[in-house]
Amino acid sequence: MNRDPLVASPLRHYINGGWETGATTGVSLNPSDLDDPVGEYVRADVRQTDSAIEAANAAFGEWSLSSGQRRADALDAIGSEMFARRDELGRLLAREVGKTLPEALAGVEIDMTREPLGVVGIIAPWSAPLAIAAARIGAALAHGNCVVFKPAESTPACAAALASIVSRAGLLAGVFNLVMGSGRQVGARIVAHPLVAGISFSGSAETGTRVLQAAAARQARVQLEMGGKNPFVVLADADLDVAVDAALTGAYGSTGQRSTAAALLIVERAMYEPFVDALRAKLAKLTVDHALKHGTDMGPVANAAQLERNLDYVRIAAQEGAQLLHGGRRLERATRGYFFEPALFAGEAEQRIARDEIFGPLAVVLRADDYEHALHLANDSAFGLCAGICTRSLARAAFPPSCAQRPRHDQSADDGSRASRAGRRAQGVSVRLDRRCVLDSRENGLRRELSR
């Protein structure tokens, strides 16, 4: 197998089967150590974006009619090299995004049927620059679509590494293209271009709304995965240790930088004080440091803008009367980086910290009077991505129909009760509820079922 370096500076675009430089350049920084740049990358302009789209459109006819075996062979080559180089990719992801190494190594499952649509524009987020991009690129290619891939501007190295692997899979020139650059130029052009038949976007609700409006204006197919303010309900009969561990992982895992983070903690009155005390004790023991450092529990936030957003919400929460129970400070470490002490607030449902998606390690705990009040607080939100509940009662775990969510029990414990997604075995119950985003292949050729 070719063992060329996955990334070489400057990081270049991959268009029509070849590597290209760009109109301007930028630098990708390591959020754990700002003095350790990941690499210089090139930025595309509208002309190069158009070139990638036109190359994908030209390749679509032959690729869409290629045999399933040919596409399977190409995808198998991509997946095999990604698996073989998982340590390199994991280390790169840790350097560019700040995920700890255990978090940086993950797998992808894709459910597919064949019905090619045409050129598909894939706009991936910085929070999961390998997992989401690989899953959606794989799904689009498997159906016979051609791809123009635009990564987040802060994660060009991960995108270039993925493109390097794809480039060796034997695809036709133009079937896969990478263009890096700003959302204002490159992203907007992909969304607006008449040759792009489908768009897959993951990111903020604000940007997703603009993508939807632009796609709808020309009746393009669109897939959106946007934000969440996900509730985790802890009832009075819950196992305290299971509940606290699940809350710690749900709210603060991946530095809170994921759309499925359970940062809205809703605790029944009788469990509230012991839960808060136990969670504060756990938070106090977390080690926040360089993502590649042995023993680090939480790496830095991904960039300067996210760090400032976290600090802004600490100030907003204090102004609105929320009580800071732990953390909320910028931290100094041996290397210059975007280190933030995970924050826990006691708050009220109307406060912004309980209603806005922050995308950082900030959680708020609300006190619920009883079961019905807890469910009311969980559903009092503009978001609906996922939710969780921790209780010993299976009847209560199966939320009432008014919640419009289907309970999914993830793993059985030895005693016949259900355990948490993390696989902890206990007499209690922890159930994760997911709203699944299903894209119908008859409409857009990107059939995938996402459940996280």
Side-chain angles (χ1 to χ4, degrees):
M1 178 178 292
N2 190 326
R3 301 299 293 183
D4 293 336
L6 280 173
V7 293
S9 192
L11 310 169
R12 294 177 295 166
H13 311 297
Y14 186 73
I15 299 174
N16 200 26
W19 298 95
E20 294 189 10
T21 59
T24 59
T25 61
V27 177
S28 174
L29 297 176
N30 179 348
S32 290
D33 184 357
L34 302 181
D35 297 315
D36 174 35
V38 180
E40 185 181 50
Y41 67 96
V42 296
R43 293 190 180 103
D45 55 16
V46 170
R47 180 194 62 79
Q48 280 187 302
T49 306
D50 284 353
S51 177
I53 293 169
E54 290 161 6
N57 184 65
F60 174 65
E62 184 175 348
W63 180 250
S64 64
L65 296 175
S66 64
S67 69
Q69 186 62 53
R70 181 177 185 181
R71 297 197 303 276
D73 289 343
L75 292 172
D76 181 65
I78 294 168
S80 295
E81 184 171 349
M82 289 184 71
F83 183 77
R85 306 184 80 151
R86 61 192 181 279
D87 291 338
E88 293 173 77
L89 290 169
R91 189 173 181 85
L92 179 63
L93 184 58
R95 284 186 66 211
E96 189 163 57
V97 182
K99 293 180 184 289
T100 62
L101 277 176
E103 291 174 332
L105 298 171
V108 176
E109 294 181 2
I110 307 173
D111 178 32
M112 300 173 290
T113 60
R114 179 183 186 273
E115 188 170 331
L117 178 66
V119 177
V120 174
I122 294 177
I123 303 174
W126 56 258
S127 57
L130 288 174
I132 287 180
R136 298 192 177 164
I137 291 167
L141 294 179
H143 297 307
N145 297 295
C146 295
V147 168
V148 176
F149 168 43
K150 183 207 134 16
E153 197 167 2
S154 62
T155 53
C158 288
L162 181 58
S164 176
I165 291 172
V166 174
S167 72
R168 290 189 284 274
L171 300 177
L172 293 168
V175 168
F176 169 82
N177 305 272
L178 164 69
V179 283
M180 299 177 287
S182 72
R184 291 184 302 277
Q185 270 204 316
V186 179
R189 185 58 177 166
I190 290 172
V191 172
H193 201 289
L195 291 179
V196 177
I199 301 149
S200 174
F201 170 84
S202 291
S204 70
E206 295 82 3
T207 304
T209 299
R210 293 196 295 272
V211 169
L212 178 62
Q213 291 169 341
R218 61 183 187 85
Q219 299 183 22
R221 310 298 189 195
V222 64
Q223 173 200 30
L224 301 176
E225 184 182 12
M226 299 185 289
K229 189 68 175 181
N230 307 300
F232 179 64
V233 175
V234 180
L235 298 181
D237 66 345
D239 182 293
L240 179 61
D241 291 338
V242 170
V244 171
D245 285 348
L248 188 71
T249 301
Y252 300 100
S254 298
T255 324
Q257 296 177 146
R258 56 187 182 190
S259 58
T260 54
L264 180 60
L265 309 174
I266 301 168
V267 184
E268 200 170 0
R269 184 176 299 277
M271 180 64 79
Y272 183 89
E273 296 296 342
F275 175 88
V276 168
D277 290 343
L279 184 55
R280 290 174 69 182
K282 291 271 190 179
L283 288 171
K285 295 179 181 178
L286 290 181
T287 299
V288 181
D289 210 327
H290 196 297
L292 292 174
K293 187 175 180 180
H294 179 71
T296 294
D297 297 309
M298 181 180 292
V301 298
N303 51 58
Q306 186 60 53
L307 176 61
E308 190 56 39
R309 181 175 175 85
N310 293 346
L311 295 171
D312 282 345
Y313 269 92
V314 170
R315 292 188 284 267
I316 291 168
Q319 291 167 1
E320 294 185 347
Q323 179 187 1
L324 180 61
L325 302 175
H326 179 84
R329 300 174 298 139
R330 179 168 188 170
L331 299 174
E332 299 295 332
R333 291 294 181 260
T335 54
R336 291 194 312 126
Y338 304 124
F339 300 106
F340 179 81
E341 186 178 24
L344 176 66
F345 285 89
E348 303 293 336
E350 65 274 9
Q351 294 166 346
R352 285 184 61 187
I353 196 169
R355 308 195 73 81
D356 295 355
E357 183 187 40
I358 302 170
F359 222 69
L362 291 86
V364 59
V365 58
L366 308 183
R367 191 191 308 261
D369 295 333
D370 52 28
Y371 172 64
E372 294 297 334
H373 186 215
L375 296 192
H376 170 75
L377 292 172
N379 282 285
D380 184 21
S381 173
F383 297 100
L385 188 58
C386 65
I389 185 168
C390 194
T391 177
R392 295 178 190 270
S393 168
L394 286 174
R396 285 187 165 191
F399 277 4
S402 61
C403 291
Q405 290 176 309
R406 178 164 56 92
R408 179 166 62 85
H409 307 286
D410 290 273
Q411 181 172 333
S412 297
D414 289 340
D415 62 358
S417 64
R418 299 290 183 174
S420 69
R421 183 176 186 139
R424 298 181 181 87
R425 297 174 183 256
Q427 293 181 349
V429 129
S430 179
V431 177
R432 182 181 179 87
L433 305 175
D434 289 301
R435 281 183 177 173
R436 301 185 175 204
C437 304
V438 179
L439 297 167
D440 192 333
S441 64
R442 291 169 297 179
E443 295 180 351
N444 60 20
L446 285 176
R447 178 170 174 78
R448 297 188 58 248
E449 182 167 294
L450 308 176
S451 59
R452 294 187 300 180

